[in-house]
Amino acid sequence: METELKREHEIMKICLLAGKIMLESGAETYRVEDTMIRIAAAFGLHNSHSYMTPTGIIFSVEEPKHMTRLIRIASRTTNLYKIDRVNSISRSIHLGELTVTEAYRALQEAERQKPNYPLWLMICMSAVVSGCFLIMFNGTWHDIFPAALAGGLGYMCSVYLERVIPVRFFAEFSGALVIGITAVGLVKSGLGRELDIMIISAVMPLVPGLLITNAIRDLMAGHLISGLSKGAEAFITSFAIGAGIAFMLTFY
């Protein structure tokens, strides 16, 4: 009996770790719950239940002994590689290719995995994306480099400030403010022409597109609390971006 309880505890640790990695990496709520239940069933725990919000996961099993665990989710970002890695491990577990110990080690390795791309490359890509959005929004080719510069500086400011002060609203507000100041400075110096299109293009890397998408998908899947929570977070982030631009324009 003691061996069964120990194994049940280990399986719950695997399920919770898999859910934690996926939720912190930006996965949808229904996908996380389905993955946890499938992992538990693959290891023989068929009567399992999971419930989660963007800030926490509750997981319980009924047999051989009723057990419930709760973990807290402190931070959330976007890392599709980790989501794909957990899905691959889940499939291997379902096919019987991994033992309990091997699965837990594989998930620990996935959790420790560093981002695929260095920060400098992400900043450069944010600049490129800003320039591409400028053309998509019917801007002039003359403004592509000013928009790219404003977008790159704004994204860099947002990332670094979020590391120093872990308040997303302040980071997004500051990033948008830097974008606005840069765009206005470039227009006044004659390097830029269409201020509005430059600003709209430059803030696009800061827009919480994945968060909005996940909020809608969770609501459609019936996860009302998670959907509303993610929607509120997306609204606050969007409000911070708009407030930063509006604050700058009041002095323009």
Side-chain angles (χ1 to χ4, degrees), residues 72-85:
R72 177 83 173 178
I73 305 299
S75 61
R76 295 172 301 280
T77 184
T78 301
N79 193 324
L80 299 182
Y81 172 79
K82 286 190 176 183
I83 297 174
D84 178 70
R85 180 60 183 151

Side-chain angles (χ1 to χ4, degrees), residues 45-86:
L45 301 181
H46 298 284
N47 294 321
S48 61
H49 307 278
S50 61
Y51 177 79
M52 61 194 63
T53 67
T55 57
I57 300 176
I58 300 175
F59 187 72
S60 68
V61 293
E62 297 181 3
E63 296 177 0
K65 181 180 179 180
H66 183 80
M67 297 177 64
T68 301
R69 293 289 184 271
L70 166 68
I71 60 172
R72 177 83 173 178
I73 305 299
S75 61
R76 295 172 301 280
T77 184
T78 301
N79 193 324
L80 299 182
Y81 172 79
K82 286 190 176 183
I83 297 174
D84 178 70
R85 180 60 183 151
V86 174

Side-chain angles (χ1 to χ4, degrees), residues 45-246:
L45 301 181
H46 298 284
N47 294 321
S48 61
H49 307 278
S50 61
Y51 177 79
M52 61 194 63
T53 67
T55 57
I57 300 176
I58 300 175
F59 187 72
S60 68
V61 293
E62 297 181 3
E63 296 177 0
K65 181 180 179 180
H66 183 80
M67 297 177 64
T68 301
R69 293 289 184 271
L70 166 68
I71 60 172
R72 177 83 173 178
I73 305 299
S75 61
R76 295 172 301 280
T77 184
T78 301
N79 193 324
L80 299 182
Y81 172 79
K82 286 190 176 183
I83 297 174
D84 178 70
R85 180 60 183 151
V86 174
N87 284 334
S88 298
I89 295 172
S90 175
R91 286 192 290 269
S92 297
I93 293 173
H94 183 72
L95 294 174
E97 299 174 353
L98 296 175
T99 63
V100 173
T101 303
E102 291 172 343
Y104 188 67
R105 288 177 180 174
L107 288 171
Q108 285 182 316
E109 182 180 348
E111 185 181 28
R112 290 192 298 265
Q113 183 73 37
K114 295 181 179 179
N116 292 346
Y117 307 106
L119 181 59
W120 66 267
L121 182 59
M122 295 174 64
I123 294 173
C124 291
M125 289 300 101
S126 297
V128 172
V129 166
S130 299
C132 293
F133 270 112
L134 179 97
I135 301 303
M136 191 177 71
F137 293 149
N138 294 323
T140 61
W141 286 94
H142 181 273
D143 290 335
I144 188 170
F145 291 108
L149 178 61
L153 289 176
Y155 183 82
M156 180 177 65
C157 175
S158 175
V159 170
Y160 277 110
L161 281 179
E162 191 170 5
R163 291 182 176 182
V164 177
I165 305 174
V167 179
R168 190 167 187 177
F169 180 91
F170 180 76
E172 299 288 353
F173 175 87
S174 301
L177 185 63
V178 168
I179 289 173
I181 293 173
T182 304
V184 169
L186 291 172
V187 170
K188 286 187 174 182
S189 64
L191 298 176
R193 295 178 181 175
E194 299 178 88
L195 178 63
D196 52 348
I197 298 181
M198 285 175 55
I199 291 177
I200 294 172
S201 303
V203 301
M204 290 307 294
L206 301 179
V207 173
L210 181 62
L211 193 61
I212 295 173
T213 302
N214 286 347
I216 296 174
R217 294 189 67 176
D218 283 345
L219 287 173
M220 293 178 65
H223 299 278
L224 301 181
I225 295 179
S226 294
L228 291 175
S229 299
K230 292 178 181 179
E233 184 178 359
F235 172 79
I236 293 174
T237 301
S238 302
F239 177 77
I241 296 172
I245 298 299

